[in-house]
Amino acid sequence: MKMNVVSFNFRTWFGADGDGINNYIHRVGPIFEKIFEAAPDIIGFQEVSDRQIVYLERLLADYQLVGQFREADFTGEGTFIAVRKDRFQVLAYNTFWLSPTPYVPGSRFEEQSGCPRICNVVRLRHRESGFIFRMFNTHLDHIGEEARVLGMQCILSELERLNSIAPFPAIITGDMNAKPESKAMTLCREFVPVPLKDVSAELTSTFHGFKQLTGIKIDYIYMTADLASRVVATGLWDSEKNGCYLSDHYPIWAEVQLD
């Protein structure tokens, strides 16, 4: 039995009028064609707008979608996790803000940009094997390195807290807006209480700006050691048609052997 996990920065609808051929209205068909073709088990989406969530809810009928938007009034961009209903049962779900007050909607660190940031956490049971694990999905600040460090500390603190109550293997997906050698990602790699491994380390080009830039790695799939040791393959969704890409990021994936 294998499990396929994807991290996918969706490229928000907001402010995307200048995307030309890569405007969401042109990408939506290829995006869902790719999802239906690959049929991943779990997708961590970042940068989803209220207009885009309508497509996700209507077209991903085989998935349970959990998540929310990040502003204090629950609007704006959001992060969401899509879970195959026939393969996994959602046991618990939560969202917290990356801030000194994680359960105050819209809260943020002083060092941060004007954008609040959130993290989804879902506890899942694989229906066939009974295997239980947690998945975290997030999108760190796009401007300040210190804000990214504080945000990652917030996520790792919650991982440690949950693990102290009920330890389960864990996955962290997201657009971290940080290169592998950055302070935020070093903090993640060197987290002693719950050791983590970047199973997507070989994927060195994830953000490409619709091929306007030389690709850089800022998207990640981290796993605790018990899951990381079962990873059998990783890769990118790098399909393109007539200059239209799925996003300005390549969605990344990891396949895990569960049995």
Side-chain angles (χ1 to χ4, degrees):
M1 293 176 290
K2 293 180 180 178
M3 172 178 70
N4 191 281
V5 179
V6 175
S7 181
F8 189 168
N9 181 303
F10 217 49
R11 173 60 171 171
T12 185
W13 196 308
F14 301 129
D17 291 340
D19 287 346
I21 188 62
N22 286 291
N23 187 286
Y24 181 71
I25 202 65
H26 302 299
R27 293 187 288 116
V28 63
I31 285 173
F32 286 101
E33 286 177 7
K34 183 63 182 180
I35 292 175
F36 298 150
E37 172 198 340
D41 296 295
I42 308 167
I43 312 172
F45 289 109
Q46 307 94 38
E47 210 169 293
V48 180
S49 75
D50 55 353
R51 296 167 76 181
Q52 290 166 317
I53 199 67
V54 174
Y55 288 92
L56 289 174
E57 290 172 338
R58 289 180 180 175
L59 295 176
L60 297 185
D62 294 335
Y63 293 79
Q64 181 172 346
L65 201 64
V66 294
Q68 64 187 63
F69 299 107
R70 68 191 185 188
E71 301 293 339
D73 60 356
F74 304 101
T75 61
E77 288 181 14
T79 59
F80 292 82
I81 300 175
V83 181
R84 279 275 298 270
K85 292 184 287 189
D86 61 335
R87 300 204 66 199
F88 295 91
Q89 176 187 8
V90 176
L91 300 177
Y93 162 71
N94 187 29
T95 291
F96 60 93
W97 275 258
L98 307 186
S99 79
T101 53
Y103 292 100
V104 175
S107 58
R108 42 181 287 282
F109 292 105
E110 288 186 7
E111 296 85 350
Q112 202 167 311
S113 69
C115 302
R117 297 289 177 176
I118 57 178
C119 181
N120 316 123
V121 189
V122 65
R123 188 164 75 241
L124 301 172
R125 184 204 309 272
H126 184 247
R127 293 185 185 276
E128 184 176 352
S129 67
F131 181 75
I132 298 174
F133 63 98
R134 291 189 179 94
M135 178 164 163
F136 294 70
N137 179 52
T138 195
H139 188 183
L140 296 185
D141 196 64
H142 64 301
I143 292 180
E145 182 177 34
E146 186 61 25
R148 290 189 286 272
V149 170
L150 292 169
M152 183 57 71
Q153 287 175 337
C154 195
I155 293 167
L156 295 175
S157 177
E158 183 66 4
L159 171 61
E160 182 180 9
R161 185 187 74 82
L162 292 173
N163 223 44
S164 69
I165 298 169
F168 291 110
I171 300 171
I172 302 176
T173 59
D175 171 6
M176 308 305 185
N177 277 311
K179 295 180 180 180
E181 66 274 14
S182 66
K183 291 180 181 178
M185 303 322 300
T186 300
L187 183 70
C188 195
R189 284 195 307 275
E190 298 179 355
F191 190 59
V192 174
V194 185
L196 296 161
K197 180 180 179 180
D198 177 13
V199 301
S200 61
E202 293 183 359
L203 309 176
T204 58
S205 175
T206 68
F207 174 70
H208 57 86
F210 297 123
K211 275 296 185 182
Q212 301 300 309
L213 304 169
T214 301
I216 58 173
K217 179 178 174 62
I218 60 174
D219 302 87
Y220 298 84
I221 301 176
Y222 269 84
M223 296 185 184
T224 48
D226 36 15
L227 274 174
S229 64
R230 304 184 189 193
V231 171
V232 294
T234 60
L236 305 168
W237 286 356
D238 57 359
S239 52
E240 167 269 333
K241 186 175 181 180
N242 299 323
C244 182
Y245 291 83
L246 301 179
S247 176
D248 55 346
H249 296 238
Y250 291 127
I252 64 175
W253 58 266
E255 191 169 69
V256 182
Q257 189 77 39
L258 289 182
D259 52 347

